[in-house]
Structure formats: structure tokens, C-alpha cells
Amino acid sequence: MRLAIIGFGTVGQGLVEILRDKGEDLRRQYALDARVVAVCDTARGSVYHHEGLSLEQLLEAVQRSGSVDGYPNVTGLVRGLDSLSTIRETNAEVIVETTWTDLESGEPAATHIRTAFQSGKHVVTSNKGPVALAYKELRALADANGLKWGIEGTVMSGTPALRLGTTALAGCTIREVRGILNGTTNFILTRMENGATYGEALTEAQQLGYAEADPTADVEGYDALGKLLILAAVVFDHPISARQVSRQGITHLCPEDIRRAREQGKRWKLIAQLQRSDDGVLATVAPQMIELSHPLAGVSGATNAITYVTDLLGEVTIVGPGAGRRETGFALLSDLLEIRRSGRNN
Ligand code: HSE
């Protein structure tokens, strides 16, 4: 399976580390022989070799100098292709889209994904923008071309929250979805309960690779809002727009609020909620003080949780990592394995 990685930041590098460390197991256990033929990143440079790149040397170059320009010159190596040329003109069968998330335009990821499908290539992505804003259009394009589009990493990183809602619970009517959908804010709230300042906790979340490139998206609730748009489109099959979501972040919470909650035997959590209503879908993101006995109160750090309220099973909850380099890298791997299982990468 020949891969081109568009966007080589935290998540793209996380996937390459997993392929480097587990390549042998993946070949033996799952018949997945994943070869990275191209990496293209606006800031970190671009390299392509039709036979495949050395994962070790790619990581070594980018982690030493912040760029793949130091990748060794070998016969047949092509440098400097832009993202659209990499998608259209290389021999990659699967495009791994891991550029930055833009929840207003969905770009440049939406164009990358559209171009991939128009070029007969599968896509796996953890990029929330195009799924939140253009799910129906891009899914239809993939289907019309007989291609796969893996999106597991867009909600709760590698924790299979979307597969649970769309595959394992198929047959149930899901009436409500609620949970803790942002790792950064949950990490910050947990650290503040343990005495850290807001600034210290945010810096730590950034260092650990949880936060968005612009962490405003996390702390003001836009990231959780984006995930609600994804859940509405993917699980409810009822796309909604950002204007339909009532949103509040955590930036107004101060140490005094955290202390007040503790005194009342409660804890702050940023809760995202989606409910079917008679005339559509109600969606909200807001911090709530919840009782310590509430199941979500024990979900701490960058761990997230999602509860599906169903007609046939009642409530089903999945708890697991919501963000992170390896965790989101794994989401992409799970989508690659899905393509492998479907036998459609060649
Ligand atoms: N910034 C996001 C979070 C990454 O903190 O949850 C995962 O979507």
C-alpha cells in the first residue's frame, strides 16, 4: 500500500513512527505492507520516491532540522512537488491528509481530498475541517469512484468512537450523543484542579501534542463544536452548520470557579451534546459543573468519552484517548487496515 502524506506535523510523524516500529507485525498479522512514497508539507518540504522512502531517515531529517530537506539524495528522489502534484502525479494509492484544521473553510484539506478522489486515490484523514463542513459531498465523491475515505481520527483520535456509532450500533436509532470531546480542555481542567495555572496547563497540552495549531479552537469550544458537526453528519446523517450550535469555551473559568466546584462536590467538564428534536437537531458545547458521582466526572486528562443514547441498547459509552501524536497516528493506521481488509487498495 503506497502512501503519500500531505502535512507532516505531529500526526503525520506519529503515523510514520508507528509504521517504523510495527511494520513487521503489520505485515505478518494483517498483510499490510505500507510504504510511504511521498511526504509533502508547506513548511517542512517535500520528497517523493516511487519505490518508497526510508521511514527512519524521514523522521531523522524532520526531527533534526524541522524539514525533510535533509533527506539523503538517492537516485530517483524527487524534491519540491506541491501538494496537488503529489496527490495527482505520484504513484501513491492512498493519500494521508494531515494538514492543519480550518473549521471555517475546510481548506486546504477539502481540496486535497477532492483531488485525491478525482485522481482515483483513497484517503485517510484526521482533519476535522472537511468532515465537519463537506462530509456529504466528499463521501458521495468517494462512493461514486469506488474509493474509501477513513475519518476515524476526527473524533476522539484513535478511540473508535465513529466506528462504534456507525458500524457496531448500526440498527439502533441513536437519539442523543453527549460527552467530553476535546482532550486539551479536559487536560487543562484536570491540571487546574491539581493546582496548575491555566497558562501552565495550556503550555503542557501544547507540548504533549494535544492542542490545535491555534489553541483558541480548543479553549473556546470550536474544536468540540466541529466534532458535533461531524457526529451530526456521520452518525445522525443530518448535517448542521456551526451557526446552529450554541458554544461556550472554558476561558472564563478561573481558579475560584474550580475551587467552588470542589467545595460543592462537583467538577467542571466541557460537555458537548447533540439531540434529535422534532424539528431537527439541538447542539450545544458548554462547561458544566457535574457531580463527582457522574460517570463523566472520572474522565480526566486528555481522555475523552462519548455516550450514545440508543433505542435498543439504552446508553453505550466509550472512553479513551481524545488527542495525541501516537493516538491519532493509530486512528490513521486503523483506517489503513480497513482499506486493506476491504481489499481495495489496488
Ligand atoms: N486539539 C484536539 C483536542 C485534538 O484537544 O481534542 C484532537 O482532535
Side-chain angles (χ1 to χ4, degrees):
M1 185 186 280
R2 295 186 299 273
L3 314 180
I5 302 178
I6 311 297
F8 200 40
T10 304
V11 175
Q13 291 176 40
L15 173 65
V16 171
E17 286 168 2
I18 294 172
L19 295 177
R20 176 196 61 191
D21 298 344
K22 302 195 66 147
E24 199 43 55
D25 288 351
L26 295 170
R27 269 188 288 278
R28 203 183 51 247
Q29 268 186 279
Y30 306 104
L32 178 71
D33 185 7
R35 208 171 290 183
V36 177
V37 293
V39 164
C40 175
D41 184 295
T42 45
R44 299 177 181 87
S46 165
V47 281
Y48 165 55
H49 195 292
H50 66 286
E51 287 178 358
L53 300 162
S54 154
L55 304 184
E56 195 62 60
Q57 287 176 338
L58 266 180
L59 290 167
E60 206 272 321
V62 78
Q63 287 166 11
R64 179 169 32 86
S65 64
S67 153
V68 296
D69 292 347
Y71 188 89
N73 281 322
V74 288
T75 310
L77 190 79
V78 178
R79 295 185 192 272
L81 289 179
D82 65 17
S83 58
L84 294 181
S85 304
T86 302
I87 293 166
R88 289 193 191 112
E89 293 163 24
T90 66
N91 66 353
E93 298 153 290
V94 181
I95 304 302
V96 180
E97 215 296 340
T98 44
T99 61
W100 64 94
T101 290
D102 182 325
L103 283 170
E104 280 175 16
S105 70
E107 297 296 354
T111 297
H112 291 156
I113 294 170
R114 197 174 293 115
T115 304
F117 292 148
Q118 286 162 346
S119 311
K121 302 187 177 187
H122 307 287
V123 175
V124 299
T125 190
S126 57
N127 195 316
K128 289 156 276 197
V131 190
L133 302 177
Y135 178 71
K136 277 211 150 185
E137 176 223 325
L138 294 172
R139 176 62 71 200
L141 189 58
D143 290 349
N145 287 285
L147 295 163
K148 302 287 275 184
W149 185 23
I151 57 170
E152 186 59 62
T154 60
V155 177
M156 279 180 73
S157 69
T159 307
L162 290 177
R163 280 202 182 92
L164 175 61
T166 55
T167 307
L169 294 178
C172 289
T173 299
I174 299 176
R175 288 194 283 251
E176 183 180 333
V177 183
R178 62 170 179 270
I180 298 172
L181 297 185
N182 180 265
T184 301
T185 46
N186 207 47
F187 180 85
I188 291 173
L189 291 172
T190 304
R191 294 288 289 120
M192 284 176 75
E193 281 160 16
N194 295 327
T197 65
Y198 173 86
E200 287 164 351
L202 174 57
T203 303
E204 216 179 320
Q206 288 175 300
Q207 285 164 350
L208 289 165
Y210 301 149
E212 296 300 298
D214 177 357
T216 312
D218 296 294
V219 297
E220 295 293 3
Y222 293 104
D223 177 76
L225 180 157
K227 287 165 180 162
L228 285 185
L229 301 188
I230 293 171
L231 288 161
V234 176
V235 176
F236 278 11
D237 191 25
H238 188 114
I240 55 172
S241 74
R243 284 191 315 280
Q244 293 169 264
V245 185
S246 151
R247 174 200 52 80
Q248 196 182 15
I250 64 160
T251 47
H252 63 287
L253 293 179
C254 60
E256 174 56 26
D257 293 312
I258 307 273
R259 195 181 52 75
R260 187 165 48 87
R262 190 184 304 120
E263 282 168 7
Q264 294 176 24
K266 293 181 180 169
R267 192 168 268 169
W268 286 100
K269 293 289 173 194
L270 186 66
I271 305 291
Q273 196 162 11
L274 202 58
Q275 279 172 301
R276 287 187 196 273
S277 68
D278 290 343
D279 50 353
V281 171
L282 287 172
T284 54
V285 176
Q288 292 180 23
M289 265 206 291
I290 59 176
E291 303 278 347
L292 290 182
S293 57
H294 189 287
L296 293 182
V299 176
S300 60
T303 304
N304 282 184
I306 195 164
T307 298
Y308 291 108
V309 183
T310 75
D311 57 346
L312 302 179
L313 272 181
E315 296 197 358
V316 181
T317 299
I318 187 165
V319 179
R325 182 185 185 94
R326 296 282 270 203
E327 294 82 351
T328 314
F330 166 71
L332 298 167
L333 172 63
S334 75
D335 286 337
L336 295 176
L337 286 166
E338 185 69 31
I339 295 174
R340 175 74 282 179
R341 269 192 295 273
S342 73
R344 291 167 76 178
N345 73 303
N346 46 30

